[in-house]
């Protein structure tokens, strides 16, 4: 495959520090959620960052699934994808992630929306990267 774009970000201070992209467009403070034993400070966390990236990439990749399924051109109008990333722990240091992707697509039937989700799951780079590594559940809202 041709390399098209490379994103670069550096983390400082682990979960209580910051993450900054090389172009400084992303510059966020990190905080550990109270559910993970942290103080629940004002910063974001790696799970939220992963959820944001996965949701945006998956929703974008859907534009390639719609024509492949012969769905209407405006099928994704007013739609959105929500990613829920769950941090899993089974002792230390056995950690993992689980993802739920939910599609809200008012112009599609539930069956069409699920077909679009399933097709997109074969296209999206995040889905390809996680395949066989973490559980990803697809859901239609």
């Amino acid at each position: 495959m041709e390399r098209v774009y490379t994103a670069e970000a550096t983390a400082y201070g682990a979960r209580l520090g910051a993450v900054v992209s090389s172009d400084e467009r992303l510059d966020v403070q990190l905080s550990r959620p109270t559910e993970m034993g942290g103080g629940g400070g004002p910063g974001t966390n790696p799970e939220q960052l992963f959820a944001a990236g996965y949701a945006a990439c998956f929703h974008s990749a859907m534009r390639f699934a719609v024509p492949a399924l012969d769905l209407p051109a405006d099928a994704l109008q007013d739609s959105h994808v929500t990613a829920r990333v769950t941090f899993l722990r089974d002792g230390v240091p056995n950690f993992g992630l689980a993802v739920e992707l939910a599609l809200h697509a008012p112009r599609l039937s539930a069956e069409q929306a699920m077909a679009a989700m399933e097709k997109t799951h074969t296209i999206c780079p995040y889905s390809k990267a996680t395949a066989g590594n973490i559980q990803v559940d697809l859901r239609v809202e």
Side-chain angles (χ1 to χ4, degrees), residues 22-40:
S22 58
D23 62 6
E24 298 181 353
R25 290 182 183 183
L26 176 73
D27 186 348
V28 295
Q29 295 299 303
L30 299 174
S31 297
R32 184 174 290 133
T34 55
E35 297 87 346
M36 296 175 73

Side-chain angles (χ1 to χ4, degrees), residues 15-96:
R15 285 183 173 268
L16 299 176
V19 175
V20 181
S21 63
S22 58
D23 62 6
E24 298 181 353
R25 290 182 183 183
L26 176 73
D27 186 348
V28 295
Q29 295 299 303
L30 299 174
S31 297
R32 184 174 290 133
T34 55
E35 297 87 346
M36 296 175 73
T44 187
N45 58 66
E47 292 73 31
Q48 288 177 333
L49 293 169
F50 185 65
Y54 204 160
C57 187
F58 196 88
H59 197 223
S60 180
M62 292 194 92
R63 72 184 191 276
F64 298 103
V66 167
L69 296 170
D70 293 323
L71 295 173
D74 68 346
L76 297 178
Q77 189 172 332
D78 302 320
S79 70
H80 62 264
V81 171
T82 301
R84 295 176 182 92
V85 174
T86 302
F87 182 89
L88 306 170
R89 177 176 50 214
D90 184 18
V92 176
N94 193 19
F95 305 114

Side-chain angles (χ1 to χ4, degrees), residues 84-123:
R84 295 176 182 92
V85 174
T86 302
F87 182 89
L88 306 170
R89 177 176 50 214
D90 184 18
V92 176
N94 193 19
F95 305 114
L97 296 174
V99 175
E100 177 187 280
L101 297 171
L103 171 64
H104 172 79
R107 294 178 180 257
L108 296 176
S109 69
E111 295 78 23
Q112 290 173 319
M114 184 51 74
M117 293 282 287
E118 290 169 349
K119 180 66 176 174
T120 302
H121 200 44
T122 69
I123 297 169

